[in-house]
Amino acid sequence: MEMNRDNKSVSELIAENHSKRSLLKFTENAVPRFLLVCAIISILTTLGIVFTLLFETFTFFNTVSFIEFISSKQWHPMHSSPNFGILPLVTGTLLVTAIAITVAIPIGLGAAIYLSEYASDKMRRVIKPVLEVLAGVPTIVYGFFALTFVTPLLRQFVPDLSIYNALSPGIVVGIMIIPMIASLSEDAMSSVPNSIRQGAYALGATKLEVAIKVVLPAALSGVIASFVLAMSRAIGETMIVTVAGGANPTTAIDVTSAIQTMTAYIVQVSLGDATYGSTVYYSIYAVGMTLFVFTLVMNILAFFISRKFREEY
């Protein structure tokens, strides 16, 4: 009787082990297929976005000359005699982006150097999450912050500053992208082997010299990539420039007056100012396609810059 119980117990263990192996084999086969489906969905979504933009943009260019679109300095799509020159919107977008990068790069890079080379582990665990909280603030909040706090503050120093202007949203967009630069640059510098730092210290270098002349050049690929990605983020920012930048498309480079960016125009028309199927409606897609090309070029540039300056250890 004892033998039967033992044999039965062994049989159960064998069956249980077989069941576990079957489940493990099923999991091993199912997970790659699931991940493949996720990858295919991502690719198809991207292709769907691109094809939609292309189709609607070609519809727009059936009415508006492409040469006029890229060369005209007038953007008045809702006038009785409309003009569809994208240059004023591009100028406003690049102006805000230039201000944002001017603000974000020194602060973000300085924060990254401090976190990587000077901060203790305890201080890093406090400062880095606080920095990253800035990335989680809704951009509409940043927009009202720019309009109701930053602009009145700046007008105390720049009396000619308009309520809607390029300077205030540019500064706030710069504040918004600081965590991106700081986090990515700090990750790049932290990945530099300590042996390189110790070698520099052995040669008599100070901590600042090690940070600026050794660690930063070694992590240059990641640092530059963070700059370019932050610039792409600034180009595509919507709500801050919509709320605080105004709706005055112009090619004049004046940070004190109202401007309009590509994203702000898309928001303006999407609110219902254009009839479905009209030229103004299709202009949304033409502007969106231009914005897509800008961000695509910036991301490709970041990829090639990262490869060019990458250090192998």
Side-chain angles (χ1 to χ4, degrees), residues 25 42 81 107 182-183 198:
K25 185 176 181 180
S42 301
S81 299
I107 299 175
S183 181
Q198 298 304 324

Side-chain angles (χ1 to χ4, degrees), residues 14 25 62 124 147 164 186 220 254 256 260 264 289 309:
I14 293 174
K25 185 176 181 180
N62 288 333
R124 188 181 296 110
L147 181 65
Y164 299 103
E186 192 269 334
L220 194 59
D254 182 5
T256 63
Q260 188 172 46
M289 190 68 196
F309 290 99

Side-chain angles (χ1 to χ4, degrees), residues 33-51:
R33 290 184 173 88
F34 173 74
L35 297 177
L36 176 61
V37 170
C38 292
I40 291 174
I41 290 174
S42 301
I43 294 172
L44 292 178
T45 302
T46 303
L47 291 176
I49 293 172
V50 173
F51 287 146

Side-chain angles (χ1 to χ4, degrees), residues 197-216:
R197 294 179 175 85
Q198 298 304 324
Y201 288 135
L203 293 173
T206 64
K207 202 172 189 66
L208 180 62
E209 289 174 332
V210 170
I212 301 299
K213 296 182 179 180
V214 177
V215 176
L216 187 58

Side-chain angles (χ1 to χ4, degrees), residues 114-247:
Y114 174 76
L115 289 172
S116 174
E117 304 303 315
Y118 290 91
S120 63
D121 289 339
K122 183 178 180 180
M123 186 65 70
R124 188 181 296 110
R125 287 196 297 268
V126 172
I127 293 179
K128 194 168 183 180
V130 172
L131 268 177
E132 292 174 349
V133 165
L134 290 174
V137 177
T139 56
I140 187 67
V141 175
Y142 277 119
F144 284 114
F145 172 71
L147 181 65
T148 61
F149 179 79
V150 177
T151 297
L153 181 65
L154 291 175
R155 294 185 79 180
Q156 297 181 13
F157 305 96
V158 187
D160 295 335
L161 190 68
S162 172
I163 292 295
Y164 299 103
N165 57 83
L167 183 59
S168 175
I171 291 173
V172 175
V173 171
I175 293 172
M176 183 192 68
I177 62 177
I178 284 174
M180 179 179 291
I181 293 177
S183 181
L184 294 177
S185 297
E186 192 269 334
D187 289 342
M189 286 187 282
S190 295
S191 66
V192 175
N194 279 327
S195 58
I196 295 180
R197 294 179 175 85
Q198 298 304 324
Y201 288 135
L203 293 173
T206 64
K207 202 172 189 66
L208 180 62
E209 289 174 332
V210 170
I212 301 299
K213 296 182 179 180
V214 177
V215 176
L216 187 58
L220 194 59
S221 63
V223 171
I224 293 179
S226 75
F227 293 166
V228 179
L229 291 174
M231 192 179 301
S232 299
R233 178 69 182 85
I235 289 174
E237 172 50 36
T238 302
M239 296 312 301
I240 297 175
V241 292
T242 300
V243 172

